[in-house]
Amino acid sequence: MNAKIIQTSPPHTASTVLVNLIHGLLEPKSAVNWGKLNLGKKLISKSHEQNIDLIMQDLKDCDLYFVMSERNDEKVQKLINQKFRKYDNVLIFDYTELLETKDKPLQEICENAERKLTSFLPQTIMQQAKGGLEQMYKRISSMNE
């Protein structure tokens, strides 16, 4: 199986936090593979391409898993298209799940993300995971610094 995880979200929806959480879980030492031309070249790729049908067409030989974030608040209204919400290979995080606050510490964000990702991603990917909760926390802490 040629499985790939594409983290693609509208800008300003905590997508950088999300891609680093994914990396912390699966490939904590790996740099973010960014941009449309690099999609699918590694296990995890990041993009802001909103039409995931186009990505699926370009990478039709891969089993694709899309991990996305969206935001709907007083500052930003960027939601994932209703069509894509119905896809079995799409997992959506709300911006508030990824936003660190005094009421929601980073540890809680990491635990929630780990729970959602491990229940969404196939066992074939999870069996090869090189990270975990501690690496997720470290990766975001380093990013914040």
Side-chain angles (χ1 to χ4, degrees):
M1 171 165 76
N2 191 13
K4 304 290 181 191
I5 301 164
I6 310 293
Q7 192 290 301
T8 187
S9 304
H12 310 293
T13 61
S15 60
T16 301
V17 171
L18 184 53
V19 76
N20 278 289
L21 287 167
I22 298 165
H23 270 283
L25 180 63
L26 300 173
E27 294 186 334
K29 297 185 188 288
S30 182
V32 173
N33 184 41
W34 165 252
K36 188 171 180 167
L37 295 177
N38 291 321
L39 281 179
K41 292 191 177 173
K42 295 192 176 187
L43 172 63
I44 305 163
S45 298
K46 176 180 164 105
S47 173
H48 286 306
E49 173 59 59
Q50 293 307 286
N51 187 343
I52 63 174
D53 285 339
L54 291 177
I55 297 171
M56 289 192 294
Q57 186 177 12
D58 288 346
L59 299 173
K60 59 182 167 271
D61 295 333
C62 300
D63 290 328
L64 300 176
Y65 299 88
F66 294 91
V67 181
M68 308 174 84
S69 56
E70 65 180 4
R71 182 174 177 181
N72 189 17
D73 60 26
E74 64 281 351
K75 291 183 181 179
V76 176
Q77 292 80 40
K78 295 187 178 180
L79 299 174
I80 304 303
N81 185 309
Q82 287 297 321
K83 173 184 178 181
F84 303 133
R85 291 175 179 281
K86 298 174 186 166
Y87 289 15
D88 290 339
N89 63 338
V90 171
L91 175 65
I92 300 171
F93 282 78
D94 187 81
Y95 174 77
T96 58
E97 292 178 272
L98 303 168
L99 181 63
E100 188 177 357
T101 66
K102 66 178 180 133
D103 296 327
K104 190 174 341 112
L106 180 54
Q107 186 68 29
E108 186 178 319
I109 292 168
C110 294
E111 289 169 0
N112 179 57
E114 179 193 42
R115 190 171 38 257
K116 286 181 76 166
L117 289 166
T118 56
S119 65
F120 170 70
L121 295 171
Q123 282 297 90
T124 52
I125 289 177
M126 294 310 305
Q127 289 168 346
Q128 299 173 37
K130 297 177 179 100
L133 192 57
E134 183 178 335
Q135 289 85 357
M136 293 168 81
Y137 184 87
K138 284 181 180 177
R139 185 124 179 168
I140 300 302
S141 294
S142 296
M143 183 192 85
N144 287 340
E145 289 174 11

